[in-house]
Amino acid sequence: MTRRTPFTWLAVLLAFGLFAAACNGDDDDTVTGPDAVDDAQPDDPAEGQGDTDIEEVDGDVQRGGTLVVGLEAETTGVRPWEDTCGSPCMNIMVALYDKLFEKEADGDIGPWVAEGIEANDDLTEWTLTLREGVVFHDGTPLTAQNIEAMFELQQTGAAASGVVTATGLEGVRAEDDLTVVYTLSAPNAGFPDALTRPQLGIVFHAEAASGDPDGFNANPIGTGPFSLVSWDRDNEMVLDRNPDYWATDPDGEQLPYLDQLIFRPIPDEGTRLDSLLAGTVNVMQSLRQSTIRDARAAGDQIFLYEHQGSNTGSTIFNTEVPPVDDVRVRRGLALSINQDVLIDILGGAGISERATQYFGPDSPWYSQEAADAWGHNDMDAARASLQEYVDDPERSDGLPVGSPIQVEYQCPPDPSLIAIAQGYQEFYEATGLVEVSLVQFEQAAHIQRVVGDEHMAVCWRLGAEEDPSGWLNTLMGPPETSPQNFTNFFDEDLWALLTEAKETADFEERQRLYSEAMVLINEWVPHTYTGYTATLLASQPNVRGLGQGTWNLPNGEEGIGFPTAEGRYAQVWLAPED
Amino acid sequence: MRPFIINRLLRLFATMLAVSFITFFMVNLLPGDPALSVLPPDSISEENIARVRADLGLDDPLPVRYVNWIGGVVTGDLGRSYRTNEPVMDSIRARIPVTFQLAAFAIVFALMLAIPLGTISAYKQGKRADKMISSTVQVMLSVPVFVAAVFLIYLFAVQLQWLPATGWTRLTNSVPGNLRTVFLPALSLSLVEIAIYTRLVRADMISTLQENFVLSARAKGLTNSFVLFRHALRPSSLSLITVVGLNIGTLLGGTVVVERIFALPGLGGLLIDSIGQRDLLVVQGVVLFIAVVYVVVNTLVDLVYAAVDPRIRVTGKGA
């Protein structure tokens, strides 16, 4: 009898490992077509779409297949009233759930599972009509009573309660099976926008959620195009097609086209892109400019869908703290910076546009007047403004006339943020009138210091995709009643404009008012801007239905697209690969 | 042997208590309020932060919180995540198989390559094969794990498309799928280990090959491979056992980077996310778990050592 040496055993193990690793290695994992017949869930991440029968729906669109989406982070949970939902999470939410309303490409509010909404004369009562025939994943119909019951959770939910307060929502009642009345404490023209957002807009099965709020994460019940099959946290979430979904495409074909949708959190930006290039995922999202740059370099291997968001990097000033309590200092600092250089530091040159306000150029609220009112990199004007303060015997920091202005600039110790803080320091000090000390606090401490008013000048993010009536009024409201006013800036004229805009129904009039408000903000400089946040959805070439104009509302209007890389997958389909 | 084991177990208990104490206080020294990670951005205010802190019991003095926490730990209750409200023990339990399998495969890969390479290198000491192996090992030692990981993804996933770039298939779902997803991360993790083990085996083997019993075996006319792997390898493996034992703990903590790059649902990823989000109970739980595994594995190594070499047992008695 021959005894095997340890080396022999190791060789056997190695051979086994290599053999096992090579198993399926030659499969046509990414090939779609009528010949792909396995109906099972892909058993490993290398297997993307094409594992289910593909059926031609009309001339072009193919039904079936599995789409794997790489997200930048795992979602905390899928309870709309409780879990804070960022961009990765929203990809999941709109697959599992429907919202009451959706936004059209021009920013207007359009119908979704609610067909319409009307306000009373003073905008304090909003009556909504639900679509008939919408059913939850468990087969129960969507009713107004469900919307009323949702409010009980939304009032106290960690995610929704803030929006309930901000919108002034006091009560929700069902008039009949399809009619819901929302009662507000004060006029709010922007209220319908809140019904396009996850906290109040997403429709969930209220009875199931109330019965077991924690368990709802494992068994969420919505009316969305897909329903949850399994969720292996930090690994993958598998969703199956909802066969009873109410929505159809413009040709009347039932959505969704895909049989299965899988979300995988891939936190590392580089390997998420590699995963797309390797075919491990079919679609990926990113909110990083450097990733967009790398994705562009991949050429025609992948399709890119970019968006300039209404969100910008910035420096916010605590206007209660000398010397930045003086507008001459803030204006001088603002005029000293070259935003293009700062954008370049962040790797966004050619990707991110220079910001002049909260609203991006794709936003319906974008104001040309505000853009014109925003000065840029005028060093002479910067010095003049700062010199006026330096020479003022009554200067707010109490230092002697002629003393340099002392600015403490705070930013987290992330490499790119360190670089941007140094960029600001260089521009400020280039005036010859300012001395900057950089301080670093880890992200959580960074936020805490701002919330606790312990800051002077801080790197921050500003803006949002939602209707300004919610967040802008909070951002610029009276500091004593607006905890989100981190600049502590308050101006009566500005507040009057914001209040009027909130109480005005006419969209164009609201645009005008917000434009005036934005001009005022730019004149008072409670903060400065760098560049708009560019976002990206990227896909393999055979993924169709992700581009602008590919998803429409039931009224035939084009949907808003995919701001902040929030993909919609009901209308996505997989073309056979060449 | 029995007093030796009791001695080691007492040390183990004392070490774990110290680890739990240090872990708790270190984690709670981290700047930043966990309440901020619980609150959505549009709800951040001093009032809401105070409310959440009270809900989470963060206002209690640290010693009180430690006693409450360690009391739960003793009964297997590590608390609940501030963010997801999941029991920390459940989160750890779901991730243990990933991290353990990754570490185990990395060690197996390392041993599979390091033992033959180290042995050959020693046998061919000073010759071309030895120089080639030593140079290669030197390169492997100097390549950071994240660089190796990115390179392997580029080669095997992006260019050759043989293996998935990221993701994890659980063993219970598919064995081949699981092996395909573990291969690249384990290989990335094992490269440095291969280099260390190869050097270790080589050094010990060179020394062993000069022993009389090896010369005697050769004189009997036994084949080189028989002499090397049957006679010389075992006495040359004591250092290897020690280092492998120590590295098990290190690898469990060291999978953090690899798990992040390959998007694996292991303990490392859980730890990183929890630190970033100030999910203190999860951080404490994971750190404590890794520390306990490290200490237990090293105690086991001590015991194995004592079993292999009785002289250590005798010395340990008096220790």
Side-chain angles (χ1 to χ4, degrees):
Chain A
M1 183 178 162
T2 309
R3 292 187 64 181
R4 290 184 191 278
T5 63
F7 181 73
T8 312
W9 280 112
L10 287 171
V12 170
L13 273 172
L14 178 61
F16 171 74
L18 290 172
F19 172 76
C23 280
N24 300 327
D26 293 328
D27 287 355
D28 287 333
D29 292 329
T30 56
V31 172
T32 50
D35 298 333
V37 290
D38 179 8
D39 198 26
Q41 172 190 328
D43 64 5
D44 78 74
E47 296 181 15
Q49 75 282 17
D51 295 89
T52 49
D53 289 321
I54 304 292
E55 174 193 335
E56 195 170 296
V57 176
D58 56 29
D60 283 317
V61 178
Q62 311 282 317
R63 192 181 285 283
T66 296
L67 188 84
V68 184
V69 181
L71 301 176
E72 70 164 10
E74 179 61 288
T75 181
T76 304
V78 290
R79 299 166 301 174
W81 70 95
E82 186 68 27
D83 299 312
T84 306
C85 196
S87 165
C89 161
M90 278 306 295
N91 279 264
I92 295 170
M93 287 297 208
V94 292
L96 281 174
Y97 302 102
D98 282 313
K99 289 190 273 186
L100 288 164
F101 295 98
E102 288 283 7
K103 280 190 182 159
E104 297 171 0
D106 62 3
D108 272 355
I109 308 294
W112 200 249
V113 294
E115 288 186 318
I117 190 163
E118 285 184 2
N120 63 357
D121 289 342
D122 68 356
L123 304 174
T124 56
E125 198 169 274
W126 293 82
T127 304
L128 168 155
T129 311
L130 287 173
R131 180 176 305 283
E132 203 169 353
V134 178
V135 295
F136 284 103
H137 297 147
D138 67 350
T140 55
L142 169 63
T143 62
Q145 288 78 12
N146 185 85
I147 306 295
E148 182 182 319
M150 279 165 38
F151 184 59
E152 287 181 29
L153 288 163
Q154 290 164 337
Q155 277 178 297
T156 54
S161 59
V163 182
V164 169
T165 307
T167 54
L169 180 58
E170 283 190 329
V172 181
R173 69 173 192 276
E175 288 280 285
D176 57 44
D177 283 354
L178 295 176
T179 309
V180 186
V181 178
Y182 291 88
T183 310
L184 311 184
S185 58
N188 185 355
F191 179 71
D193 184 84
L195 304 181
T196 68
R197 291 154 61 189
Q199 300 93 337
L200 294 186
I202 277 180
V203 174
F204 57 90
H205 197 298
E207 191 184 339
S210 306
D212 184 10
D214 286 340
F216 201 73
N217 259 334
N219 299 293
I221 303 175
T223 62
F226 298 91
S227 60
L228 184 70
V229 176
S230 64
W231 185 10
D232 182 6
R233 196 179 274 278
D234 289 331
N235 190 22
E236 65 174 17
M237 181 184 276
V238 180
L239 282 69
D240 267 356
R241 177 175 184 268
N242 173 7
D244 301 317
Y245 193 52
W246 58 273
T248 57
D249 68 11
D251 296 323
E253 291 290 339
Q254 197 199 16
L255 296 172
Y257 299 128
L258 296 165
D259 283 341
Q260 198 168 62
L261 186 57
I262 297 177
F263 292 106
R264 292 187 198 285
I266 307 173
D268 186 86
E269 290 284 326
T271 49
R272 195 176 329 119
L273 179 56
D274 281 344
S275 298
L276 182 66
L277 295 171
T280 307
V281 300
N282 310 114
V283 175
M284 63 160 274
Q285 60 148 197
S286 180
L287 285 82
R288 288 287 182 96
Q289 296 161 95
S290 54
T291 307
I292 296 175
R293 187 189 57 221
D294 293 344
R296 284 181 181 178
D300 58 3
Q301 294 179 74
I302 50 178
F303 289 175
L304 308 183
Y305 307 101
E306 295 179 31
H307 182 90
Q308 293 283 322
S310 292
N311 200 300
T312 166
S314 72
T315 292
I316 62 170
F317 300 115
N318 184 348
T319 60
E320 287 183 345
V321 173
V324 294
D325 60 339
D326 193 305
V327 69
R328 293 171 296 182
V329 175
R330 300 197 300 269
R331 195 171 290 143
L333 297 177
L335 287 168
S336 74
I337 60 172
N338 184 329
Q339 288 173 237
D340 295 333
V341 172
L342 296 173
I343 291 168
D344 194 25
I345 288 173
L346 291 170
I351 295 168
S352 183
E353 293 179 27
R354 189 196 305 163
T356 57
Q357 55 198 286
Y358 302 134
F359 313 113
D362 296 339
S363 167
W365 305 104
Y366 181 80
S367 162
Q368 189 55 51
E369 291 75 19
D372 295 340
W374 183 245
H376 179 248
N377 194 215
D378 185 344
M379 200 52 98
D380 291 339
R383 287 197 184 101
S385 188
L386 293 168
Q387 191 69 56
E388 208 177 304
Y389 180 84
V390 167
D391 295 340
D392 186 351
E394 301 295 319
R395 55 191 278 181
S396 60
D397 60 6
L399 293 176
V401 169
S403 301
I405 298 166
Q406 304 292 324
V407 174
E408 183 188 86
Y409 195 93
Q410 175 188 317
C411 215
D414 177 272
S416 63
L417 295 180
I418 291 171
I420 200 84
Q422 288 171 337
Y424 278 112
Q425 180 183 32
E426 204 161 310
F427 284 124
Y428 293 169
E429 292 187 341
T431 61
L433 299 167
V434 180
E435 288 177 355
V436 180
S437 56
L438 297 180
V439 290
Q440 293 176 355
F441 289 93
E442 198 280 330
Q443 185 73 13
H446 176 73
I447 297 170
Q448 198 166 3
R449 280 175 60 87
V450 173
V451 174
D453 276 346
E454 298 172 51
H455 60 301
M456 181 190 287
V458 181
C459 61
W460 204 249
R461 295 208 72 77
L462 291 170
E465 298 294 337
E466 292 91 28
D467 187 284
S469 62
W471 59 269
L472 185 47
N473 287 51
T474 314
L475 200 69
M476 289 290 148
E480 57 275 15
T481 55
S482 304
Q484 301 273 304
N485 184 348
F486 299 128
T487 61
N488 290 310
F489 173 75
F490 183 73
D491 177 68
E492 292 287 356
D493 294 339
L494 172 63
W495 185 238
L497 286 169
L498 296 178
T499 307
E500 190 182 347
K502 191 171 182 177
E503 295 173 355
T504 303
D506 182 68
F507 186 72
E508 286 182 3
E509 176 62 6
R510 297 184 71 216
Q511 279 180 317
R512 186 189 66 76
L513 290 165
Y514 281 123
S515 177
E516 276 186 39
M518 204 64 248
V519 170
L520 263 185
I521 292 169
N522 281 356
E523 285 174 0
W524 282 107
V525 204
H527 44 62
T528 61
Y529 315 97
T530 48
Y532 293 114
T533 304
T535 64
L536 169 75
L537 278 179
S539 77
Q540 290 186 308
N542 69 321
V543 176
R544 304 294 157 79
L546 261 183
Q548 187 74 32
T550 51
W551 69 276
N552 297 281
L553 278 62
N555 61 359
E557 292 293 325
E558 191 180 300
I560 195 167
F562 309 98
T564 62
E566 295 170 10
R568 313 284 174 135
Y569 302 101
Q571 78 297 334
V572 170
W573 56 279
L574 299 166
E577 289 190 273
D578 296 331
Chain B
M1 185 74 176
R2 196 172 163 188
F4 177 80
I5 293 174
I6 291 171
N7 181 289
R8 282 293 181 273
L9 290 179
L10 283 173
R11 283 189 189 185
L12 175 69
F13 178 75
T15 309
M16 289 200 303
L17 199 63
V19 164
S20 76
F21 187 80
I22 293 167
T23 301
F24 180 86
F25 284 95
M26 292 283 281
V27 166
N28 279 278
L29 284 176
L30 285 172
D33 195 328
L36 287 171
S37 65
V38 175
L39 286 166
D42 52 9
S43 295
I44 291 176
S45 66
E46 290 190 271
E47 185 188 4
N48 283 345
I49 289 172
R51 180 179 52 77
V52 171
R53 285 186 60 82
D55 289 348
L56 298 177
L58 294 169
D59 290 335
D60 294 335
L62 268 186
V64 173
R65 285 166 55 197
Y66 175 72
V67 170
N68 290 339
W69 177 66
I70 200 69
V73 170
V74 171
T75 60
D77 177 11
L78 295 176
R80 283 176 175 268
S81 160
Y82 296 155
R83 288 183 307 127
T84 64
N85 203 32
E86 275 190 345
V88 175
M89 190 53 102
D90 288 357
S91 299
I92 292 175
R93 200 176 288 132
R95 286 157 178 83
I96 286 172
V98 180
T99 302
F100 273 43
Q101 192 186 351
L102 189 56
F105 269 64
I107 289 172
V108 169
F109 284 177
L111 290 175
M112 282 162 64
L113 289 169
I115 290 173
L117 287 176
T119 306
I120 293 166
S121 190
Y123 180 64
K124 302 279 186 186
Q125 188 190 359
K127 297 184 178 166
R128 186 178 293 172
D130 179 33
K131 287 176 182 168
M132 278 179 61
I133 291 170
S134 297
S135 310
T136 309
V137 158
Q138 187 65 38
V139 171
M140 287 161 79
L141 263 179
S142 48
V143 176
V145 68
F146 68 89
V147 174
V150 170
F151 173 73
L152 290 173
I153 288 174
Y154 178 76
L155 181 63
F156 289 104
V158 178
Q159 289 302 315
L160 300 171
Q161 304 212 338
W162 288 354
L163 294 164
T166 52
W168 183 260
T169 300
R170 296 205 178 261
L171 205 53
T172 46
N173 289 349
S174 162
V175 174
N178 173 267
L179 291 172
R180 294 189 69 208
T181 50
V182 77
F183 189 81
L184 287 183
L187 189 59
S188 312
L189 204 56
S190 69
L191 290 180
V192 171
E193 309 302 317
I194 291 169
I196 294 170
Y197 298 170
T198 302
R199 283 187 159 193
L200 213 58
V201 171
R202 179 183 180 274
D204 282 359
M205 186 66 92
I206 287 171
S207 169
T208 306
L209 289 177
Q210 290 163 2
E211 297 281 343
N212 288 337
F213 71 91
V214 174
L215 298 175
S216 165
R218 279 181 171 161
K220 286 180 190 170
L222 297 175
T223 62
N224 281 334
S225 61
F226 196 83
V227 171
L228 285 173
F229 292 104
R230 293 294 301 164
H231 288 264
L233 184 57
R234 186 174 171 183
S236 304
S237 59
L238 271 180
S239 309
L240 187 64
I241 291 172
T242 311
V243 173
V244 170
L246 287 169
N247 274 11
I248 289 173
T250 311
L251 275 178
L252 289 176
T255 57
V256 171
V257 174
V258 167
E259 285 179 12
R260 198 70 179 173
I261 291 175
F262 287 94
L264 307 181
L267 287 170
L270 179 66
L271 184 61
I272 289 289
D273 287 342
S274 304
I275 291 171
Q277 314 252 1
R278 292 296 179 275
D279 202 344
L280 299 188
L281 288 180
V282 179
V283 177
Q284 286 165 205
V286 175
V287 171
L288 180 67
F289 177 79
I290 291 174
V292 166
V293 170
Y294 190 87
V295 174
V296 168
V297 166
N298 280 291
T299 303
L300 289 175
V301 170
D302 279 353
L303 297 176
V304 170
Y305 229 50
V308 172
D309 189 345
R311 289 171 299 178
I312 293 164
R313 206 182 311 160
V314 174
T315 315
K317 201 173 184 176

